Amino acid sequence: MDLDPSVSIAIYLCIPIVFVINLIIASGLYLFKKKELSGLFVLNSIIASILMYFLFAEGIDRHQNRRLESWKFTKGDTVFDLVRWKEINEFSLSYSTVQGLSLNFLDGNCQFKNGEWILTTDSTLMKIRNDYLIGFRKQSDTIKMKKIVR
């Protein structure tokens, strides 16, 4: 199943539900004098909750990797995030001067030519080649970016 990040709130609902259901079964077995099975369900409540968390997280990461790729770079005291949307061949560039707050300031189209991504807007032209951003502020600018891996 391809999980959209918007369903991540389900983690906060499903994991406790799985945990509680296993504990209810364990206590029911304990009351019916099946102590060895009861212990297994207590252990299962922990294992199932951890497993469910990691499966949800992995599904969301897989979904994000199919839809986008992103890079990060710093110029002075500003952190820039560049996101290339794979399905629609567009990009967006945002910046942050304070952690937790970012502002989008540039959106445009991208096209793959001759082993590099060409990023265009109505007034700018930039390129991505081997995790380097070329032409950010001036045509001769070359900035090393860090690719964000999910």
Side-chain angles (χ1 to χ4, degrees), residues 23-97:
L23 288 180
I24 290 171
I25 293 171
S27 54
L29 289 170
Y30 186 79
L31 290 174
F32 290 115
K33 309 287 185 210
K34 306 241 184 208
K35 293 181 182 180
E36 61 280 345
L37 288 177
S38 175
L40 288 175
F41 270 93
V42 169
L43 181 63
N44 187 56
S45 67
I46 296 167
I47 292 171
S49 298
I50 292 170
L51 189 62
M52 186 171 234
Y53 171 79
F54 283 110
L55 288 175
F56 262 94
E58 195 62 36
I60 290 170
D61 285 346
R62 186 182 66 238
H63 174 82
Q64 291 294 77
N65 286 332
R66 283 186 190 156
R67 297 190 69 208
L68 60 91
E69 65 181 330
S70 59
W71 297 266
K72 189 175 285 234
F73 64 95
T74 304
K75 227 30 181 151
D77 66 344
T78 307
V79 177
F80 293 90
D81 289 307
L82 175 65
V83 176
R84 183 182 73 83
W85 301 96
K86 293 177 180 179
E87 294 173 345
I88 57 176
N89 285 329
E90 291 182 357
F91 77 94
S92 59
L93 190 58
S94 60
Y95 70 94
S96 175
T97 54

Side-chain angles (χ1 to χ4, degrees), residues 100-143:
L101 173 68
S102 65
L103 300 167
N104 193 38
F105 74 95
L106 191 62
D107 293 305
N109 296 314
C110 56
Q111 189 175 33
F112 192 72
K113 285 185 182 176
N114 301 324
E116 62 188 14
W117 285 101
I118 311 294
L119 311 175
T120 57
T121 66
D122 55 350
S123 61
T124 62
L125 174 75
M126 298 180 289
K127 298 177 184 178
I128 299 174
R129 183 184 312 136
N130 299 328
D131 294 336
Y132 283 91
L133 181 62
I134 302 165
F136 176 57
R137 291 191 176 147
K138 298 182 227 168
Q139 282 299 85
S140 60
D141 279 351
T142 300
I143 301 168

Side-chain angles (χ1 to χ4, degrees), residues 4-22:
D4 187 84
S6 63
V7 301
S8 62
I9 192 70
I11 291 174
Y12 294 111
L13 298 173
C14 291
I15 291 175
I17 289 171
V18 166
F19 185 77
V20 168
I21 288 173
N22 277 286

